[in-house]
Amino acid sequence: MARDDISRGEAERLRAGSTADRVTRTFEVLADKGALWVWGEEDDILFTEDAARRTMLPIWPYPALARLEHEGDVDGEHAIRIPVDVFLKEWLPQLEDDDADIAIFPVEERPAETLTPAEFRSRLRS
């Protein structure tokens, strides 16, 4: 297990938390570890859509959580670590240009909190 990962048992416990608990924990980990995790391949990051067909980038605080969400998916896809400072400088402006939001720690069949890039930036700095 990577030093910035958690056990499967801990991941399952965090997944069972409420949306508010998952969002709070995500921002605590981002502040502590200085990184977040997305899913995909090096040149192809997974985006999703909500019911209103709004584009969203799912993020997780640990790679184990991203793996649990995508078990059995496409070969070659994996959790990808993004340093928070890189996310703020490079990813958020692109998400704003693309009119995409950020899905915080989504769990199957339970909605994640969705933030605009500006809301994410503000929440991260608070």
Side-chain angles (χ1 to χ4, degrees):
M1 177 174 16
R3 66 178 175 79
D4 51 354
D5 205 357
I6 56 175
S7 70
R8 184 179 179 105
E10 178 67 6
E12 293 284 1
R13 187 187 69 72
L14 290 173
R15 287 182 82 215
S18 69
T19 296
D21 290 343
R22 293 190 332 264
V23 171
T24 297
R25 183 66 180 149
T26 296
F27 282 100
E28 290 171 352
V29 172
L30 297 185
D32 181 49
K33 301 287 186 186
L36 58 88
W37 296 83
V38 297
W39 188 257
E41 298 173 318
E42 297 309 320
D43 296 328
D44 189 21
I45 302 302
L46 175 75
F47 282 79
T48 61
E49 289 184 343
D50 64 10
R53 303 196 49 87
R54 188 135 172 87
T55 301
M56 298 180 297
L57 173 67
I59 68 163
W60 294 270
Y62 297 106
L65 295 165
R67 282 192 302 273
L68 280 174
E69 199 59 29
H70 296 284
E71 282 184 320
D73 283 359
V74 178
D75 285 341
E77 290 184 349
H78 58 280
I80 300 169
R81 183 181 189 275
I82 310 295
V84 169
D85 60 334
V86 170
F87 192 77
L88 289 170
K89 290 176 191 166
E90 298 176 17
W91 289 61
L92 285 186
Q94 186 63 50
L95 291 170
E96 288 170 334
D97 288 348
D98 294 342
D99 196 28
D101 291 332
I102 302 161
I104 309 296
F105 189 167
V107 173
E108 186 176 329
E109 297 183 28
R110 292 203 327 241
E113 182 169 337
T114 302
L115 301 175
T116 67
E119 291 168 334
F120 181 88
R121 185 181 290 111
S122 175
R123 177 83 185 254
L124 191 60
R125 292 184 176 157
S126 60

